Amino acid sequence: MEPFEELTSLDKLVHEPARLAIMTALAACERADFLYLQRITGLTKGNLSGHISRLEKGELLTVEKDFDGKIPRTTLALTEKGRETIVAYWEQMERLREAVDRWRPGEAPA
Amino acid sequence: MEPFEELTSLDKLVHEPARLAIMTALAACERADFLYLQRITGLTKGNLSGHISRLEKGELLTVEKDFDGKIPRTTLALTEKGRETIVAYWEQMERLREAVDRWRPGEAPA
DNA sequence: TGCACTGGTTTGCAACACAAACCAGTATAC
DNA sequence: GTATACTGGTTTGTGTTGCAAACCAGTGCA
């Protein structure tokens, strides 16, 4: 498959910028709470909440709600599948970048 | 700015997989006709046409319609701005990948 | 005079990203 | 004790988007 065709078929669940930021941050943090994640990604609460729901539905992360004394706290962490997915994503991007650099037209381009 | 915040603010016009493929292919080809581009990206005609329109509106590529004998042909090429944009995009991704690898939490993450 | 092919564009629709509005609970002020 | 404001999120509304199917104009050929 041409590298360009692989680009068009990137996993959109992970590729979307906000979710890419969330997944990547969680890969670096192991676990993080909702508000910390909001700070480092710069997303609004509503936006972050929505993306978390989508990632949870895709089984890429888990949501754990508990209390720190009396204040509620939501802690996020990648699932095993989530970790594999985000690692694979970055490896794929790196691989594609190199493949594209090496690529030469196979048939008359114009 | 945290690298994650930079991820959330990626330029969506370029980041979208189909357009990323188109731009990246054109960066490698200099110029290409519509159908060649369709083959190497695997996009449907309608889809490709739509994305080309958006990129043209964003002044990232030019559309040139001429005839090869009697058959019409549409030739695409990046503008100077387009070339700078796609090169910058891949550099930014590479830079972010490295930044994320080096990143350590600044405040209590959870 | 049909029929199929080339080279695309337009249309219609479901999915999505986003922020504003909302909500429940807690601490603080008066 | 009762407003007020903050914390920690979720739900709702809406404009935008990605996508493929349908469409269209011109050409070859039988």
Side-chain angles (χ1 to χ4, degrees):
Chain A
M1 177 158 58
E2 303 275 19
F4 312 112
E5 195 166 349
E6 194 175 341
L7 278 174
T8 65
S9 58
L10 282 170
D11 179 358
K12 293 254 204 54
L13 183 57
V14 182
H15 185 70
E16 200 283 326
R19 288 190 294 266
L20 184 55
I22 294 169
M23 301 271 295
T24 301
L26 285 175
C29 281
E30 297 301 323
R31 50 209 347 276
D33 71 20
F34 187 96
L35 292 176
Y36 178 73
L37 217 43
Q38 195 198 340
R39 275 203 302 284
I40 66 174
T41 59
L43 294 166
T44 62
K45 289 189 289 187
N47 206 348
L48 177 56
S49 178
H51 286 300
I52 285 173
S53 291
R54 277 175 65 65
L55 290 171
E56 188 184 14
K57 199 175 326 183
E59 299 178 343
L60 298 182
L61 60 74
T62 57
V63 181
E64 188 184 341
K65 293 170 196 235
D66 55 357
F67 285 82
D68 178 15
K70 290 190 173 176
I71 58 177
R73 193 176 46 178
T74 299
T75 305
L76 294 317
L78 292 181
T79 60
E80 190 52 37
K81 178 180 169 187
R83 182 168 306 275
E84 288 165 7
T85 302
I86 187 64
V87 168
Y89 174 88
W90 283 107
E91 284 173 356
Q92 184 182 22
M93 284 304 260
E94 175 65 5
R95 196 164 43 68
L96 281 171
R97 211 178 58 83
E98 287 169 4
V100 158
D101 276 348
R102 279 196 309 277
W103 185 86
R104 292 295 173 272
E107 297 175 50
Chain B
M1 179 160 54
E2 302 274 16
F4 312 111
E5 194 166 349
E6 193 174 343
L7 278 174
T8 65
S9 59
L10 282 170
D11 179 358
K12 292 254 203 58
L13 183 57
V14 182
H15 184 68
E16 199 283 325
R19 289 191 294 266
L20 183 55
I22 294 168
M23 300 271 297
T24 302
L26 285 175
C29 281
E30 296 302 321
R31 50 210 346 273
D33 71 19
F34 187 95
L35 292 177
Y36 179 73
L37 217 43
Q38 195 198 339
R39 276 201 302 285
I40 65 173
T41 59
L43 295 167
T44 61
K45 288 189 292 186
N47 205 347
L48 177 56
S49 178
H51 286 301
I52 285 173
S53 292
R54 276 174 66 65
L55 290 170
E56 187 183 14
K57 200 177 323 184
E59 298 178 344
L60 298 182
L61 59 74
T62 56
V63 181
E64 189 184 339
K65 295 171 196 235
D66 54 357
F67 285 83
D68 177 15
K70 288 190 171 175
I71 59 177
R73 194 176 45 179
T74 300
T75 305
L76 294 317
L78 292 181
T79 60
E80 189 53 37
K81 178 180 172 189
R83 180 166 308 274
E84 287 166 7
T85 302
I86 188 63
V87 167
Y89 175 89
W90 283 109
E91 284 173 356
Q92 184 182 21
M93 284 304 260
E94 175 66 6
R95 196 163 43 67
L96 282 171
R97 210 178 60 83
E98 287 169 4
V100 158
D101 275 348
R102 278 196 310 276
W103 185 86
R104 292 294 174 275
E107 297 176 50

